[in-house]
DNA sequence: ATGCTCTGCTAAATCAGTTTAGCGACGGGG
DNA sequence: CCCCGTCGCTAAACTGATTTAGCAGAGCAT
């Protein structure tokens, strides 16, 4: 790999000029007094030889590598990582940079390895990413250079990019209000222990805040909230069963994320309630399952690609300290409708299929 | 980032030795006649100064960068990429290497960029990964160095790693046979156009082959097959409705992947059939949804982490040309049981699912 | 003729390592 | 006493770029 490559000296020789001249021409240096003809010859020689600079040699001198480190806690388990990386990759390519990826897995030894590895390689900057939106501590060793936090905050004076969870909360609430939902809106997914701990997640509180403010502005209060230990389908399922066992049935359920909403779908399906005719469901994240559910789940999408892209922009183009909030667009699907005029009553389970119009659902 | 670092010259000076001596000691060179005391002094000096070699300088001379390029067609969209990357990352770290990630998005210009970028950076090897198991053409420019194909084959003489889809097919079939399913096993997900095109996917044919061979060895033939244009939930849904409209109802359904199986769950749920009491469902991939479904979906897992890990091993430790098949372990959950003694009959659905010649029907 | 300023270009240093070639001291054999 | 080999170590070349410092020649004014 990469033997036989023409060097700058080869180009200079072929152009009949010095390495200095060749270097300056190829780097487009201003203020040099090299003739137009010299430019021509250098470009021609470089072209003919298929010259490409050796980045190791260049960065030895310049201490620039055109490489960005992407350090994250977990890349694998969450499918959101892909979006962040993809966005970063795109923006990096546009700026002729490349991404070095490492993972700490939340392990101090691995983090140490990752940091040494990127420091040894003299990366131009570091994107320090968390897979769950949260606050974190930035290892001091990397603070010598450019750092952008992605999907995370910190107490340090750095730029960081976050999804606009609060705005998404507002959007979600507005969507329900616009359909005529008022006093029978339930919420699933708060977590007593974790939501207040910014080291674990900032999302819950911000989303809730957006929801509450918007509802309050319309003079509406949440009907109930059901707490969940985690945001997994099984918890959404149990929470929904709990919800349905209460005297006053909701006209709409806001789930804190799509996995909870999936659980809600399962519970509602078992009980024979139809979405959105009997009950609307709306949620956050735009997990792939949101589009696979029947009916499709309306949800405020986490803008992962834009976030990854934004992080690179802040790192390379500058853009100051503090937060950059990326809007979370609402994916409108079929899970939200106007509330039924009558309060829906759960059918006894085991009675058979819900009275959904199957053929219209099949026509997809 | 990385200024103020001690250099080898600093270490040598502090140890009272030459750069040569320091270099040799730190690299653990055999056959050098440096005294034990000299070793001590160098190690001590390096320790005290927190010396770390500058990789750019080193690789300028040695043409080794301790960096592997991970080139894939698509990292974002599929959540499988994470597993591949994670496995590769782990194995790379164990060997003191780091991963440079690029994405071609199947675009020739992007591929060109990616290749130049990694060639410029003198990576030690390339993992060329596809997100859908398939055959691909390796760009000749990278054939100068070490290359391993991940989740892909090629006609070139390179090592490649694939999931053992055929073995998984066998496992799946055996699992059903072991539960007593025989002549009422249906299959969902073959695709007329694509499955035969190895540029698109190798998985379908291999899985089917494993299934057919195993069943044949037990004297069993598939009851029916329903074709699907893609492997998405909606197609699994339609295919299942189609399947249920046939006179002879299956006791088990094999889905070509979990997303199809999810669609099958939806259709079975609507029609009031219970999994696994009325019908068993088994599948491939171990998508996250497999564990979220109720009941949990039994499925042969794509061993992404192991595959990524294996690719790095082949690249760095050697291991010869040709295929390395990584077994696909079965995740046993609750979706498979013994067939009901009586043939399950779908409850009369008020809305008739489409009735047509199934085998020729292409679910849309 | 002298000094000065431009113009157009180059030699050499530099970055931080690895590697080759070889040097001085010492001991032993002839 | 001389030659040779081993021991323990080092000077210097080398990797491929960037960058500093400066040189030769032309043109112009004095």
């Amino acid at each position: 790999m990469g033997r036989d490559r023409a060097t700058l000296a080869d180009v200079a020789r072929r152009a009949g000029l010095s390495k200095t001249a060749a270097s300056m021409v190829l780097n487009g240096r201003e203020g040099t007094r090299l003739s137009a003809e010299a430019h021509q010859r250098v470009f021609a020689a470089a072209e003919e030889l298929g010259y490409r600079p050796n980045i190791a040699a260049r960065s030895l001198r310049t201490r620039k590598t055109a490489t960005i480190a992407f350090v994250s806690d977990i890349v694998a388990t969450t499918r959101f990582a892909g979006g962040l990386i993809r966005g970063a990759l795109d923006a990096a390519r546009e700026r002729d940079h490349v991404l070095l990826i490492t993972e700490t897995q939340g392990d101090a030894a691995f983090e140490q390895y990752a940091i040494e590895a990127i420091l040894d390689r003299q990366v131009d900057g570091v994107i320090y990413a968390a897979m769950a939106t949260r606050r974190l501590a930035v290892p001091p060793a990397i603070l010598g250079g450019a750092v952008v936090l992605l999907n995370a905050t910190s107490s340090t004076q750095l730029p960081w990019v976050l999804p606009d969870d609060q705005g998404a909360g507002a959007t979600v609430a507005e969507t329900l209000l616009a359909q005529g939902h008022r006093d029978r809106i339930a919420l699933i997914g708060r977590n007593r222990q974790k939501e207040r701990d910014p080291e674990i997640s900032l999302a819950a509180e911000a989303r809730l805040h957006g929801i509450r403010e918007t509802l309050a502005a319309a003079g509406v209060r949440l009907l109930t909230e059901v707490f969940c230990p985690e945001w997994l389908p099984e918890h959404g399922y149990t929470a929904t069963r709990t919800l349905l066992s209460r005297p006053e049935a909701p006209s709409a359920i806001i789930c804190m994320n799509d996995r909870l909403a999936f659980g809600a779908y399962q519970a509602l399906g078992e009980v024979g309630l139809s979405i959105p005719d009997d009950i609307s469901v709306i949620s956050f994240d735009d997990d792939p399952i949101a589009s696979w559910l029947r009916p499709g789940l309306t949800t405020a999408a986490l803008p992962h690609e834009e976030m990854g892209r934004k992080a690179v922009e802040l790192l390379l183009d500058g853009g100051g300290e503090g937060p950059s909030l990326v809007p979370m667009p609402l994916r409108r699907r079929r899970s939200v409708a106007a509330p039924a005029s009558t309060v829906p009553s759960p059918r006894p389970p085991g009675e058979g299929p819900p009275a959904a119009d199957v053929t219209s659902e099949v026509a997809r």
Side-chain angles (χ1 to χ4, degrees), chain A:
Chain A
M1 203 146 300
R3 324 109 308 156
D4 317 335
R5 301 199 0 153
T7 70
L8 184 65
D10 297 331
V11 173
R13 195 173 313 119
R14 180 167 192 120
L17 288 164
S18 68
K19 284 200 310 175
T20 311
S23 173
M24 286 173 155
V25 168
L26 292 174
N27 288 313
R29 280 274 282 259
E30 304 282 320
T32 158
R33 295 177 301 232
L34 292 162
S35 66
E37 204 229 327
H39 278 76
Q40 296 291 351
R41 292 216 308 274
V42 171
F43 286 132
E47 174 74 28
E48 287 159 23
L49 296 173
Y51 170 72
R52 302 223 96 225
N54 178 322
I55 297 211
R58 170 181 291 170
S59 60
L60 178 56
R61 186 80 237 257
T62 61
R63 342 216 106 211
K64 301 220 164 294
T65 48
T67 302
I68 300 170
F70 187 104
V71 181
S72 75
D73 43 9
I74 302 165
V75 352
T77 37
T78 144
R79 74 199 127 310
F80 296 150
L84 294 177
I85 293 176
R86 151 82 75 115
L89 231 32
D90 280 352
R93 175 181 41 232
E94 287 165 12
R95 289 161 183 77
D96 248 293
H97 281 240
V98 114
L99 237 54
L100 203 63
I101 301 207
T102 57
E103 194 188 40
T104 67
Q105 295 178 31
D107 176 307
F110 289 174
E111 176 165 288
Q112 178 68 18
Y113 172 82
I115 287 174
E116 287 178 350
I118 65 184
L119 252 30
D120 291 352
R121 285 169 182 77
Q122 315 240 137
V123 298
D124 293 347
V126 177
I127 293 176
Y128 204 83
M131 286 314 152
T133 309
R134 63 193 188 94
R135 180 179 305 158
L136 48 71
V138 182
I142 59 173
L143 289 177
V147 179
V148 172
L149 299 178
L150 178 51
N151 207 17
T153 348
S154 176
S155 45
T156 46
Q157 287 193 312
L158 294 170
W160 66 81
V161 4
L162 291 177
D164 184 6
D165 283 305
Q166 184 174 337
T171 306
V172 159
E174 279 158 15
T175 304
L176 293 181
L177 289 171
Q179 286 286 338
H181 295 271
R182 307 252 331 151
D183 295 310
R184 292 190 294 126
I185 300 176
L187 183 103
I188 289 181
R190 289 186 71 191
N191 176 298
R192 284 206 170 75
Q193 295 82 52
K194 293 186 180 172
E195 80 177 8
R196 288 294 162 80
D197 185 349
E199 302 271 329
I200 295 178
S201 174
L202 297 163
E205 208 169 2
R207 291 173 182 179
L208 187 64
H209 199 242
I211 294 166
R212 282 243 174 84
E213 277 205 334
T214 305
L215 292 183
V220 170
R221 290 189 49 192
L222 283 172
L223 175 67
T224 19
E225 296 178 38
V226 187
F227 291 80
C228 295
E230 302 265 354
W231 285 358
L232 292 173
E234 54 192 291
H235 305 118
Y237 174 86
T238 325
T240 304
R241 306 273 336 196
T242 304
L243 201 58
L244 296 176
S245 71
R246 293 187 180 163
E248 202 174 2
S251 68
I253 302 178
I254 302 176
C255 294
M256 274 305 201
N257 79 354
D258 294 341
R259 302 202 298 275
L260 288 171
F262 180 31
Y265 269 57
Q266 291 170 326
L268 293 170
E270 272 186 22
V271 145
L273 286 174
S274 146
I275 305 168
D277 296 333
D278 296 328
I279 209 162
S280 291
V281 178
I282 191 167
S283 161
F284 297 86
D285 284 6
D286 198 28
D287 190 295
I289 53 164
S291 66
W292 298 343
L293 291 170
R294 323 194 107 235
L297 175 62
T298 294
T299 182
L302 277 174
H304 285 104
E305 287 199 24
E306 287 72 21
M307 290 170 64
R309 166 171 285 283
K310 185 76 186 170
V312 170
E313 289 170 10
L314 287 172
L315 193 66
L316 261 28
D317 307 344
E321 299 162 3
S324 292
L325 289 183
V326 183
M328 295 177 60
L330 191 72
R331 305 268 186 255
R332 290 176 189 278
R333 288 188 268 251
R334 316 244 21 264
S335 68
V336 175
S341 42
T342 62
V343 175
S345 58
R347 258 151 271 230
E351 190 209 272
D357 181 357
V358 174
T359 37
S360 77
E361 284 184 359
V362 171
R364 194 197 178 292

